[in-house]
Amino acid sequence: MAESALLQDVIRFPAAVLEELHVLLDALRITALEPRHASISLTMSRPSATRDFAVCVIFVLVFFVLSWGLRFLMEPMLHTRHPTLRKPVVQKFSQSVTEILTYGSFAVLGLVVVPQQEWSWPSASWWVAGDVAELEEKFQNFPAVGGAKPGFDFQAHGAMRADLRCYYILYAARYIQCGISVLLEHKRKDFTEMFIHHWVTVALCVLSYFYGWNRVGSVIMVLLDPADVPLHLAKICKYLQKARCKRQAFWGQAADILFVVFAIVFFITRLVCYPYVCWSCHIESERYITKHLEWYAVGLLYVLMMLQIYWFGLLLRVAMKLLTTGQAEDVRSDDEDEGTHDNKAAETPILLTQRRRKSVTTVKAA
């Protein structure tokens, strides 16, 4: 009987996963198009390891096919249209396009889903179930009982609305795909930092999803996406300028303006808002949570903060170069230099021809 029941569960599993996909994606549709009905019509449920893992694998495959499929479609067209660009630069150009689509889509998705959750603010709501003011008054100076501090309800925090669960699984799947893709892409100078960043993010997604930290986790997701959109737009403008296409000056100015926008958004979201979230996880949560495994998550959050500080240091180097030379370059990448060498190589025959003409003219004049 047990084997028969197990076999039936295995047979039903694919149908259950497909049904779950339908529920999650439909929840996103309702949240985006019918936000007033989201709080009423969307269901709440706790994570299911086997079901959600299967859904995540499907999303990873979809992201991988979309990301690399778009790149492979774009690269021949870019190489044909801009033959002066070397292959690594063409690859980075197509990668930046996919990054804009990815980061832009997730930034919009996060701003649609997360602020609609009833606990999105104040930050104390990330750690308590119910009204924050009532709990503060009721449990003021109340000692921890049985290792659990008053206010935190694991069952309530573990339950997630369908649209938030979909956003969470999509986010984890995206970074799993990124963690694999970074091994296949043209290597940057900060390859190690990017690799660490992607897999630390995946680890945080898993820990927060299954241990009731999904509220603060989704807030962090919203904060970390927007800055990358103007960054990759600036890179594309720089590539267009180096491709010697029309209106080079325009593309150069657009790249510099977008770099300034990127720097401002990066500073606000990643060096002001994100450290506040880390403070809430480390300090504020102590009023409501007795941490055990959660300390590993706090440590990983600080790893991400150190990476943000490192990247901000690189950003300051670019800003200094922009102020001193009038041009912004991405110091993380080797391919920009390659693109510059390529342009120089393309200009060399022209310069040689001009010099020869001048020499001929000088001889005739003599």
Side-chain angles (χ1 to χ4, degrees):
M1 291 294 295
E3 293 180 357
S4 177
L6 179 61
L7 181 60
Q8 289 180 358
D9 290 340
V10 171
I11 295 173
R12 293 172 184 171
F13 185 71
V17 171
L18 292 177
E19 182 180 354
E20 181 66 10
L21 273 173
H22 174 74
V23 169
L24 295 177
L25 295 176
D26 190 57
L28 283 186
R29 181 192 63 80
I30 293 173
T31 301
L33 303 180
E34 305 173 33
R36 294 182 179 180
H37 302 288
S39 60
I40 302 172
S41 59
L42 296 184
T43 59
M44 302 281 289
S45 64
R46 289 185 52 77
S48 169
T50 53
R51 178 199 64 193
D52 295 343
F53 176 77
V55 172
C56 186
V57 169
I58 293 173
F59 284 151
V60 170
L61 294 175
V62 171
F63 282 132
F64 198 86
V65 170
L66 290 177
S67 176
W68 286 96
L70 182 59
R71 296 186 201 191
F72 289 142
L73 286 174
M74 288 185 60
E75 287 177 14
M77 294 186 292
L78 289 171
H79 187 71
T80 302
R81 189 172 180 83
H82 304 293
T84 57
L85 292 178
R86 295 181 63 184
K87 185 177 180 179
V89 185
V90 171
Q91 291 174 344
K92 294 300 293 181
F93 194 118
S94 61
Q95 180 188 351
S96 289
V97 173
T98 59
E99 297 286 17
I100 290 169
L101 294 175
T102 301
Y103 283 107
S105 299
F106 272 88
V108 173
L109 185 62
L111 291 173
V112 168
V113 173
V114 177
Q116 290 195 39
Q117 311 299 318
E118 60 183 10
W119 42 258
S120 59
W121 190 259
S123 58
S125 299
W126 305 340
W127 313 110
V128 300
D131 184 79
V132 176
E134 290 181 5
L135 285 169
E136 287 289 339
E137 181 179 355
K138 182 178 180 181
F139 294 116
Q140 188 174 13
N141 300 322
F142 194 89
V145 178
K149 295 186 178 181
F152 185 80
D153 185 337
F154 183 77
Q155 294 296 325
H157 281 71
M160 303 170 68
R161 213 168 73 178
D163 56 340
L164 185 67
R165 274 198 307 116
C166 186
Y167 175 58
Y168 229 92
I169 297 173
L170 281 169
Y171 202 94
R174 165 194 157 197
Y175 269 99
I176 292 172
Q177 182 267 322
C178 289
I180 298 171
S181 293
V182 75
L183 300 171
L184 307 175
E185 296 166 351
H186 182 73
K187 296 298 184 291
R188 291 177 172 179
K189 293 178 181 177
D190 66 343
F191 164 79
T192 302
E193 291 81 3
M194 290 295 292
F195 185 81
I196 293 172
H197 173 269
H198 293 340
W199 288 107
V200 166
T201 302
V202 172
L204 282 169
C205 287
V206 174
L207 285 172
S208 60
Y209 188 72
F210 288 106
Y211 286 92
W213 278 42
N214 51 72
R215 297 182 177 187
V216 69
S218 56
V219 171
I220 293 171
M221 292 173 184
V222 172
L223 291 176
L224 296 185
D225 278 334
D228 284 279
V229 177
L231 169 64
H232 287 284
L233 283 171
K235 288 170 72 66
I236 286 177
C237 290
K238 207 62 167 176
Y239 296 143
L240 290 172
Q241 181 190 27
K242 289 182 176 181
R244 301 175 65 193
C245 59
K246 296 179 180 180
R247 304 178 69 182
Q248 283 183 280
F250 168 80
W251 293 118
Q253 291 174 357
D256 294 341
I257 292 171
L258 286 166
F259 170 75
V260 173
V261 174
F262 159 67
I264 294 171
V265 176
F266 186 100
F267 181 79
I268 293 173
T269 58
R270 302 193 184 190
L271 293 181
V272 176
C273 297
Y274 178 69
Y276 174 82
V277 176
C278 290
W279 168 84
S280 181
C281 293
H282 189 170
I283 306 299
E284 186 179 29
S285 64
E286 282 290 298
R287 294 174 60 87
Y288 314 105
I289 295 178
T290 300
K291 297 188 184 73
H292 300 290
L293 183 65
E294 291 84 357
W295 281 116
Y296 292 101
V298 173
L300 292 175
L301 288 175
Y302 282 120
V303 171
L304 288 185
M305 185 188 290
M306 292 302 103
L307 290 173
Q308 306 309 321
I309 294 171
Y310 165 75
W311 281 319
F312 188 69
L314 297 183
L315 191 154
L316 291 178
R317 288 174 56 189
V318 178
M320 291 299 297
K321 188 171 184 179
L322 177 62
L323 292 173
T324 55
T325 67
Q327 290 187 338
E329 297 284 353
D330 186 358
V331 297
R332 298 182 304 159
S333 302
D334 295 326
D335 52 67
E336 280 80 357
D337 294 333
E338 292 172 353
T340 304
H341 296 328
D342 188 60
N343 287 341
K344 288 180 179 178
E347 292 170 1
T348 301
I350 299 174
L351 294 174
L352 289 174
T353 302
Q354 290 175 345
R355 288 171 184 170
R356 287 170 182 169
R357 288 176 180 174
K358 287 181 180 180
S359 299
V360 172
T361 304
T362 304
V363 170
K364 287 182 178 179

